[in-house]
Amino acid sequence: MEMMVRSVWLFLFPLLVISIRWIYRWRNPKCKGTLPPGSMGLPLLGETLSLLVTARSIDIHPFFKERMSRYGPLFKTSVAGRSIVISADPDFNSFLFQQEGKLVEMWYMDSFAKLLRQDTTAASGYVHKYLRHLVLNHFGVETLKHRLLPQLECAINQRLQEWAKQPEVQLKDQTAAMIFEFTAKHMLGYEPEKSSDTISLNLSNFLEGLMAFPLRVPGTAFYRCKKRQQKVIQVISKLVEERMNSGEGGRISKTDFLDQIVEDMRTESFLTKEFATHVLFGILLASFETVSSTIALAIKYLSDHPSLLQQLT
């Protein structure tokens, strides 16, 4: 009996030592510099469960508020299996933005990176410069001011007249659909009234799973998100292929964003059909991803200025 106890102890002791060392390393991750204060939470889970607790007010989420009170505006934690540092310090955040591509690199959540191709989200160097120039050329300040804003105003007025005939309007969904249709028309020549594919609905619903856990299991938000993405990608890919086959990419006068991309495929080796499709998908997504926050700010602004609300009414 004594020998059995000793054997069990000889087996458990190294396991216990390894477990203690692993937990210690988990709670004290290696770093070349000095990590800010904070807690790494439970092994593997980290503090994920605390972050998922629903906030009961419009104030700062309790997860951040409690830790900012305890550790200050800069603290370490672990969420969804990732060791991270969270900063609510404006000066430090400003410094980080200035150091992108120098001391720090842009990083995306696992679900975001898996849904949007890594070579489009992490484009750097010449590719990033090309995409930036392309977007600014078609949606920059001057283009918005002299060409797109007047057209957008007409589209908004038309939509407001349609909404006025309805008993109620789901503002976020209807606004997102309007922005999407406007952007897609000017980027791809996409006309939803002539298409049986409701990609605006799929793209709008796509946002629901964008920040979900990247579990590709039927029934999960990420799985539904991936299915919706595939539908949208198929439609965009078809539009790209049609434009490539039409020969319109060779026109001297390029009418939209897609024309420019098809034309540049002749000279830019990285511009494959697949890459172009995912770039277009990402830009369409970005065009109305911030609709919710924009509407919230607009409503607050109108609430703070009753005279403007009266003029709008």
Side-chain angles (χ1 to χ4, degrees):
M1 186 68 178
E2 186 178 345
M3 291 235 356
M4 184 182 292
V5 172
R6 185 177 298 175
S7 298
V8 172
W9 176 245
L10 288 174
F11 171 75
L12 290 178
F13 182 74
L15 192 62
L16 183 62
V17 172
I18 293 172
S19 298
I20 291 174
R21 287 187 63 186
W22 183 73
I23 292 173
Y24 176 81
R25 287 183 178 181
W26 169 265
R27 301 184 71 87
N28 299 275
K30 290 184 178 180
C31 178
K32 292 181 179 179
T34 303
L35 286 172
S39 171
M40 303 304 290
L42 298 171
L44 299 180
L45 270 178
E47 296 189 306
T48 306
L49 298 179
S50 300
L51 179 61
L52 293 178
V53 173
T54 304
R56 298 186 178 182
S57 72
I58 61 173
D59 196 4
I60 300 174
H61 193 285
F63 177 86
F64 302 102
K65 196 171 185 178
E66 291 171 8
R67 283 153 185 78
M68 288 168 61
S69 174
R70 189 184 309 170
Y71 304 117
L74 193 67
F75 59 91
K76 67 183 178 186
T77 183
S78 175
V79 176
R82 289 281 187 175
S83 300
I84 60 174
V85 171
I86 294 178
S87 170
D89 186 316
D91 293 334
F92 181 69
N93 292 342
S94 176
F95 172 76
L96 280 183
F97 284 126
Q98 294 172 17
Q99 295 303 316
E100 183 183 334
K102 301 173 185 176
L103 296 179
V104 296
E105 293 182 3
M106 188 179 294
W107 172 84
Y108 293 89
M109 290 179 63
D110 292 351
S111 57
F112 195 94
K114 287 181 179 180
L115 289 167
L116 297 178
R117 278 171 52 112
Q118 190 65 30
D119 55 357
T120 57
T121 57
S124 59
Y126 178 76
V127 177
H128 182 272
K129 185 178 180 181
Y130 167 81
L131 292 176
R132 179 181 175 84
H133 174 76
L134 188 64
V135 171
L136 289 177
N137 188 42
H138 286 268
F139 297 99
V141 175
E142 293 302 316
T143 306
L144 284 172
K145 187 189 302 182
H146 300 296
R147 187 164 64 88
L148 293 183
L149 279 181
Q151 296 177 32
L152 182 58
E153 185 175 5
C154 291
I156 292 172
N157 287 333
Q158 181 181 354
R159 196 58 64 95
L160 284 173
Q161 291 177 15
E162 295 173 4
W163 292 349
K165 301 173 185 176
Q166 302 176 19
E168 61 179 27
V169 174
Q170 292 290 337
L171 190 60
K172 184 258 181 183
D173 294 338
Q174 292 291 333
T175 303
M178 176 184 65
I179 295 297
F180 166 80
E181 290 172 8
F182 181 84
T183 308
K185 182 177 181 180
H186 286 272
M187 282 183 62
L188 316 169
Y190 172 77
E191 298 180 342
E193 62 275 4
K194 297 181 181 179
S195 175
S196 59
D197 302 295
T198 55
I199 62 175
S200 61
L201 179 61
N202 280 305
L203 205 55
S204 181
N205 291 335
F206 171 84
L207 296 173
E208 296 174 8
L210 195 57
M211 297 302 175
F213 282 98
L215 298 175
R216 196 169 180 178
V217 178
T220 62
F222 184 80
Y223 181 84
R224 293 193 298 270
C225 189
K226 190 68 178 177
K227 289 294 183 183
R228 289 169 184 145
Q229 182 213 26
Q230 289 172 353
K231 292 180 180 179
V232 178
I233 288 292
Q234 287 173 1
V235 176
I236 297 176
S237 179
K238 183 179 177 181
L239 290 170
V240 173
E241 188 172 356
E242 289 175 352
R243 192 68 63 88
M244 291 172 66
N245 294 334
S246 69
E248 293 180 354
R251 292 192 303 245
I252 296 176
S253 175
K254 301 173 182 59
T255 60
D256 60 24
F257 196 87
L258 182 52
D259 270 343
Q260 183 67 61
I261 287 183
V262 172
E263 174 68 15
D264 291 342
M265 282 181 178
R266 302 170 185 269
T267 56
E268 305 293 351
S269 59
F270 67 88
L271 267 180
T272 63
K273 175 189 167 185
E274 187 179 11
F275 183 86
T277 298
H278 280 82
V279 165
L280 292 166
F281 173 81
I283 296 174
L284 279 175
L285 181 66
S287 70
F288 69 94
E289 190 272 334
T290 56
V291 164
S292 297
S293 55
T294 304
I295 290 175
L297 290 172
I299 291 175
K300 182 183 185 304
Y301 184 78
L302 290 172
S303 300
D304 293 342
H305 299 81
S307 58
L308 292 180
L309 177 60
Q310 182 61 37
Q311 290 180 27
L312 181 63
T313 303

